[in-house]
Short mmCIF file of all heavy atoms in Angstrom, two decimals:
data_model
loop_
_atom_site.label_atom_id
_atom_site.label_comp_id
_atom_site.label_asym_id
_atom_site.label_seq_id
_atom_site.Cartn_x
_atom_site.Cartn_y
_atom_site.Cartn_z
N HIS A 4 15.94 -10.01 13.55
CA HIS A 4 14.48 -9.79 13.59
C HIS A 4 13.86 -11.17 13.81
O HIS A 4 14.57 -12.23 13.78
CB HIS A 4 13.92 -9.16 12.28
CG HIS A 4 14.47 -9.87 11.08
ND1 HIS A 4 13.92 -11.05 10.58
CD2 HIS A 4 15.40 -9.58 10.21
CE1 HIS A 4 14.58 -11.42 9.55
NE2 HIS A 4 15.52 -10.55 9.24
N GLY A 5 12.52 -11.21 14.03
CA GLY A 5 11.89 -12.52 14.29
C GLY A 5 12.01 -13.52 13.24
O GLY A 5 11.94 -14.75 13.49
N GLY A 6 12.17 -13.17 12.05
CA GLY A 6 12.27 -14.05 10.92
C GLY A 6 13.47 -15.03 11.06
O GLY A 6 13.43 -16.12 10.43
N VAL A 7 14.38 -14.66 11.89
CA VAL A 7 15.59 -15.59 12.08
C VAL A 7 15.11 -16.95 12.70
O VAL A 7 15.87 -17.98 12.61
CB VAL A 7 16.67 -14.85 12.87
CG1 VAL A 7 16.28 -14.82 14.41
CG2 VAL A 7 18.05 -15.55 12.77
N PHE A 8 13.98 -16.94 13.35
CA PHE A 8 13.57 -18.10 14.05
C PHE A 8 12.84 -19.09 13.11
O PHE A 8 12.25 -20.07 13.65
CB PHE A 8 12.58 -17.77 15.19
CG PHE A 8 13.34 -17.11 16.39
CD1 PHE A 8 12.97 -15.86 16.86
CD2 PHE A 8 14.32 -17.85 17.11
CE1 PHE A 8 13.54 -15.32 17.95
CE2 PHE A 8 14.95 -17.26 18.19
CZ PHE A 8 14.58 -16.02 18.63
N ALA A 9 12.84 -18.87 11.84
CA ALA A 9 12.04 -19.68 10.87
C ALA A 9 12.24 -21.17 11.11
O ALA A 9 11.23 -21.96 11.11
CB ALA A 9 12.36 -19.26 9.48
N PRO A 10 13.45 -21.69 11.29
CA PRO A 10 13.63 -23.15 11.46
C PRO A 10 12.86 -23.70 12.68
O PRO A 10 12.38 -24.79 12.69
CB PRO A 10 15.11 -23.35 11.52
CG PRO A 10 15.72 -22.22 10.88
CD PRO A 10 14.84 -21.05 11.16
N LEU A 11 12.96 -22.85 13.74
CA LEU A 11 12.25 -23.24 15.00
C LEU A 11 10.72 -23.22 14.84
O LEU A 11 10.00 -24.04 15.33
CB LEU A 11 12.75 -22.33 16.09
CG LEU A 11 12.68 -22.90 17.57
CD1 LEU A 11 13.44 -24.22 17.63
CD2 LEU A 11 13.29 -21.86 18.53
N VAL A 12 10.28 -22.17 14.22
CA VAL A 12 8.84 -21.95 14.00
C VAL A 12 8.31 -23.14 13.16
O VAL A 12 7.20 -23.70 13.50
CB VAL A 12 8.56 -20.62 13.30
CG1 VAL A 12 7.12 -20.54 12.74
CG2 VAL A 12 8.85 -19.41 14.13
N GLU A 13 9.00 -23.58 12.15
CA GLU A 13 8.57 -24.72 11.40
C GLU A 13 8.42 -25.95 12.21
O GLU A 13 7.50 -26.69 12.01
CB GLU A 13 9.65 -24.91 10.23
CG GLU A 13 9.36 -26.13 9.34
CD GLU A 13 10.36 -26.28 8.29
OE1 GLU A 13 11.33 -25.54 8.24
OE2 GLU A 13 10.34 -27.27 7.55
N ARG A 14 9.24 -26.14 13.17
CA ARG A 14 9.25 -27.41 14.00
C ARG A 14 8.25 -27.30 15.09
O ARG A 14 7.79 -28.35 15.59
CB ARG A 14 10.58 -27.72 14.53
CG ARG A 14 11.53 -28.20 13.51
CD ARG A 14 13.03 -28.08 13.86
NE ARG A 14 13.96 -28.65 12.92
CZ ARG A 14 14.22 -28.09 11.77
NH1 ARG A 14 13.83 -26.84 11.38
NH2 ARG A 14 15.05 -28.75 10.95
N LEU A 15 7.78 -26.16 15.57
CA LEU A 15 6.96 -26.02 16.74
C LEU A 15 5.57 -25.49 16.52
O LEU A 15 4.76 -25.50 17.45
CB LEU A 15 7.71 -25.11 17.69
CG LEU A 15 9.04 -25.63 18.25
CD1 LEU A 15 9.64 -24.56 19.20
CD2 LEU A 15 8.89 -26.96 19.02
N ALA A 16 5.27 -25.09 15.24
CA ALA A 16 3.92 -24.46 15.02
C ALA A 16 2.72 -25.39 15.25
O ALA A 16 1.68 -24.89 15.46
CB ALA A 16 3.93 -23.82 13.58
N ASN A 17 3.02 -26.69 15.15
CA ASN A 17 1.93 -27.59 15.38
C ASN A 17 1.69 -27.88 16.87
O ASN A 17 0.68 -28.65 17.25
CB ASN A 17 2.13 -28.86 14.63
CG ASN A 17 1.99 -28.81 13.09
OD1 ASN A 17 1.24 -27.90 12.68
ND2 ASN A 17 2.74 -29.60 12.36
N GLU A 18 2.55 -27.38 17.75
CA GLU A 18 2.50 -27.76 19.15
C GLU A 18 2.36 -26.49 20.05
O GLU A 18 1.94 -26.63 21.19
CB GLU A 18 3.79 -28.47 19.54
CG GLU A 18 3.99 -29.75 18.75
CD GLU A 18 5.47 -30.28 18.92
OE1 GLU A 18 5.82 -30.63 20.04
OE2 GLU A 18 6.17 -30.22 17.95
N PHE A 19 2.67 -25.33 19.57
CA PHE A 19 2.60 -24.06 20.29
C PHE A 19 1.93 -22.98 19.46
O PHE A 19 2.01 -22.96 18.25
CB PHE A 19 3.98 -23.59 20.66
CG PHE A 19 4.76 -24.47 21.65
CD1 PHE A 19 5.56 -25.52 21.08
CD2 PHE A 19 4.66 -24.35 22.99
CE1 PHE A 19 6.26 -26.39 21.93
CE2 PHE A 19 5.35 -25.21 23.81
CZ PHE A 19 6.12 -26.19 23.31
N THR A 20 1.29 -22.04 20.09
CA THR A 20 0.90 -20.80 19.43
C THR A 20 2.15 -19.86 19.61
O THR A 20 2.44 -19.44 20.70
CB THR A 20 -0.34 -20.19 20.08
OG1 THR A 20 -1.44 -21.08 19.95
CG2 THR A 20 -0.71 -18.90 19.40
N LEU A 21 2.80 -19.59 18.49
CA LEU A 21 4.02 -18.83 18.51
C LEU A 21 3.79 -17.35 18.26
O LEU A 21 3.16 -16.96 17.37
CB LEU A 21 4.97 -19.37 17.42
CG LEU A 21 5.31 -20.90 17.52
CD1 LEU A 21 5.80 -21.39 16.20
CD2 LEU A 21 6.37 -21.05 18.62
N HIS A 22 4.36 -16.57 19.21
CA HIS A 22 4.26 -15.13 19.07
C HIS A 22 5.72 -14.61 18.82
O HIS A 22 6.49 -14.50 19.75
CB HIS A 22 3.73 -14.50 20.42
CG HIS A 22 2.32 -14.98 20.79
ND1 HIS A 22 1.20 -14.37 20.38
CD2 HIS A 22 1.90 -16.04 21.49
CE1 HIS A 22 0.20 -15.05 20.72
NE2 HIS A 22 0.60 -16.04 21.51
N VAL A 23 5.94 -14.36 17.57
CA VAL A 23 7.31 -14.08 17.16
C VAL A 23 7.48 -12.54 16.99
O VAL A 23 6.85 -11.91 16.13
CB VAL A 23 7.68 -14.76 15.83
CG1 VAL A 23 9.19 -14.62 15.48
CG2 VAL A 23 7.36 -16.26 15.92
N VAL A 24 8.34 -11.94 17.83
CA VAL A 24 8.41 -10.48 17.93
C VAL A 24 9.53 -9.93 17.08
O VAL A 24 10.61 -10.52 16.94
CB VAL A 24 8.65 -10.14 19.41
CG1 VAL A 24 8.87 -8.66 19.60
CG2 VAL A 24 7.59 -10.66 20.30
N ASP A 25 9.31 -8.71 16.48
CA ASP A 25 10.38 -7.91 15.93
C ASP A 25 10.62 -6.78 16.99
O ASP A 25 9.69 -6.01 17.28
CB ASP A 25 10.01 -7.26 14.65
CG ASP A 25 10.16 -8.17 13.49
OD1 ASP A 25 10.56 -9.35 13.72
OD2 ASP A 25 9.87 -7.75 12.37
N LEU A 26 11.70 -6.78 17.66
CA LEU A 26 12.00 -5.79 18.65
C LEU A 26 12.03 -4.36 18.12
O LEU A 26 12.20 -4.20 16.90
CB LEU A 26 13.38 -6.11 19.40
CG LEU A 26 13.39 -7.28 20.26
CD1 LEU A 26 14.77 -7.63 20.63
CD2 LEU A 26 12.54 -7.07 21.48
N PRO A 27 11.78 -3.36 18.92
CA PRO A 27 11.77 -2.01 18.38
C PRO A 27 12.97 -1.64 17.53
O PRO A 27 14.09 -1.89 17.87
CB PRO A 27 11.67 -1.11 19.66
CG PRO A 27 11.04 -1.97 20.64
CD PRO A 27 11.52 -3.37 20.36
N GLY A 28 12.69 -0.95 16.33
CA GLY A 28 13.74 -0.56 15.45
C GLY A 28 14.23 -1.73 14.62
O GLY A 28 15.09 -1.42 13.72
N HIS A 29 13.75 -2.86 14.76
CA HIS A 29 14.15 -4.07 13.98
C HIS A 29 13.03 -4.59 13.13
O HIS A 29 11.88 -4.56 13.50
CB HIS A 29 14.63 -5.15 14.88
CG HIS A 29 15.82 -4.83 15.75
ND1 HIS A 29 15.75 -3.97 16.85
CD2 HIS A 29 17.13 -5.17 15.64
CE1 HIS A 29 16.89 -3.87 17.40
NE2 HIS A 29 17.77 -4.62 16.69
N GLY A 30 13.39 -5.00 11.85
CA GLY A 30 12.44 -5.68 11.02
C GLY A 30 11.20 -4.82 10.80
O GLY A 30 11.24 -3.64 10.48
N HIS A 31 10.01 -5.42 10.97
CA HIS A 31 8.77 -4.76 10.79
C HIS A 31 8.35 -3.81 11.92
O HIS A 31 7.31 -3.18 11.82
CB HIS A 31 7.62 -5.83 10.59
CG HIS A 31 7.83 -6.75 9.38
ND1 HIS A 31 8.24 -6.26 8.18
CD2 HIS A 31 7.59 -8.07 9.28
CE1 HIS A 31 8.31 -7.21 7.32
NE2 HIS A 31 7.97 -8.33 7.99
N SER A 32 9.20 -3.76 12.91
CA SER A 32 8.98 -2.80 14.06
C SER A 32 9.87 -1.52 13.87
O SER A 32 10.12 -0.79 14.82
CB SER A 32 9.29 -3.49 15.45
OG SER A 32 8.32 -4.48 15.72
N ALA A 33 10.34 -1.33 12.68
CA ALA A 33 11.26 -0.26 12.44
C ALA A 33 10.60 1.15 12.80
O ALA A 33 11.34 2.07 13.33
CB ALA A 33 11.71 -0.15 10.96
N ALA A 34 9.35 1.33 12.63
CA ALA A 34 8.69 2.60 12.87
C ALA A 34 8.00 2.66 14.14
O ALA A 34 7.29 3.72 14.46
CB ALA A 34 7.71 2.89 11.72
N THR A 35 8.09 1.65 15.03
CA THR A 35 7.32 1.77 16.33
C THR A 35 7.80 2.84 17.24
O THR A 35 8.98 3.29 17.17
CB THR A 35 7.52 0.35 17.07
OG1 THR A 35 6.70 0.41 18.31
CG2 THR A 35 8.86 0.15 17.48
N ALA A 36 6.88 3.30 17.99
CA ALA A 36 7.25 4.43 18.95
C ALA A 36 7.79 3.86 20.25
O ALA A 36 8.43 4.57 21.12
CB ALA A 36 6.04 5.28 19.27
N THR A 37 7.71 2.54 20.44
CA THR A 37 8.24 1.87 21.61
C THR A 37 9.80 1.92 21.61
O THR A 37 10.38 1.52 20.59
CB THR A 37 7.82 0.42 21.78
OG1 THR A 37 6.37 0.45 21.59
CG2 THR A 37 8.27 -0.22 23.03
N PRO A 38 10.44 2.41 22.60
CA PRO A 38 11.90 2.37 22.67
C PRO A 38 12.45 1.05 22.89
O PRO A 38 11.79 0.13 23.50
CB PRO A 38 12.22 3.42 23.85
CG PRO A 38 11.07 3.24 24.75
CD PRO A 38 9.84 2.97 23.89
N LEU A 39 13.68 0.85 22.51
CA LEU A 39 14.42 -0.41 22.78
C LEU A 39 14.93 -0.36 24.16
O LEU A 39 16.12 -0.10 24.37
CB LEU A 39 15.51 -0.61 21.71
CG LEU A 39 16.28 -1.99 21.84
CD1 LEU A 39 15.30 -3.10 21.38
CD2 LEU A 39 17.52 -2.02 20.95
N ALA A 40 14.12 -0.61 25.15
CA ALA A 40 14.46 -0.51 26.53
C ALA A 40 13.68 -1.62 27.30
O ALA A 40 12.51 -2.04 26.93
CB ALA A 40 14.05 0.83 27.13
N LEU A 41 14.34 -2.16 28.33
CA LEU A 41 13.81 -3.35 28.91
C LEU A 41 12.34 -3.15 29.39
O LEU A 41 11.47 -3.99 29.08
CB LEU A 41 14.63 -3.84 30.15
CG LEU A 41 15.99 -4.33 29.85
CD1 LEU A 41 16.70 -4.69 31.14
CD2 LEU A 41 15.96 -5.56 28.94
N GLU A 42 12.13 -2.19 30.21
CA GLU A 42 10.75 -2.00 30.79
C GLU A 42 9.69 -1.68 29.70
O GLU A 42 8.56 -2.25 29.72
CB GLU A 42 10.75 -0.87 31.84
CG GLU A 42 9.46 -0.67 32.58
CD GLU A 42 8.92 -1.90 33.32
OE1 GLU A 42 9.73 -2.83 33.64
OE2 GLU A 42 7.69 -1.97 33.40
N ALA A 43 10.01 -0.85 28.72
CA ALA A 43 9.05 -0.43 27.72
C ALA A 43 8.64 -1.67 26.87
O ALA A 43 7.49 -1.87 26.64
CB ALA A 43 9.63 0.65 26.83
N VAL A 44 9.67 -2.50 26.52
CA VAL A 44 9.29 -3.57 25.65
C VAL A 44 8.51 -4.63 26.45
O VAL A 44 7.57 -5.24 25.92
CB VAL A 44 10.61 -4.23 25.09
CG1 VAL A 44 10.39 -5.61 24.45
CG2 VAL A 44 11.25 -3.30 24.08
N VAL A 45 8.94 -5.02 27.59
CA VAL A 45 8.27 -6.02 28.41
C VAL A 45 6.89 -5.62 28.79
O VAL A 45 5.99 -6.38 28.75
CB VAL A 45 9.07 -6.37 29.64
CG1 VAL A 45 8.36 -7.17 30.69
CG2 VAL A 45 10.41 -7.08 29.22
N SER A 46 6.73 -4.35 29.06
CA SER A 46 5.34 -3.84 29.44
C SER A 46 4.42 -4.02 28.27
O SER A 46 3.31 -4.48 28.45
CB SER A 46 5.46 -2.36 29.86
OG SER A 46 4.17 -1.82 30.08
N GLU A 47 4.86 -3.69 27.11
CA GLU A 47 3.96 -3.85 25.94
C GLU A 47 3.65 -5.30 25.60
O GLU A 47 2.53 -5.71 25.37
CB GLU A 47 4.55 -3.21 24.71
CG GLU A 47 3.64 -3.30 23.51
CD GLU A 47 4.16 -2.51 22.24
OE1 GLU A 47 4.99 -1.61 22.44
OE2 GLU A 47 3.74 -2.86 21.14
N LEU A 48 4.69 -6.14 25.67
CA LEU A 48 4.46 -7.54 25.34
C LEU A 48 3.58 -8.26 26.30
O LEU A 48 2.72 -9.02 26.03
CB LEU A 48 5.83 -8.28 25.29
CG LEU A 48 6.73 -7.90 24.17
CD1 LEU A 48 8.06 -8.62 24.21
CD2 LEU A 48 5.99 -8.19 22.76
#
């Protein structure tokens, strides 16, 4: 899930606006209706 990037987020948050995603079915996106499929995920993002 997106929380795995915490060390990177800590180092880059002062230089970038970070959009950290939980992919469908993972982490806080467990209940999303978006399927874990290339086109569906990319279209939404």
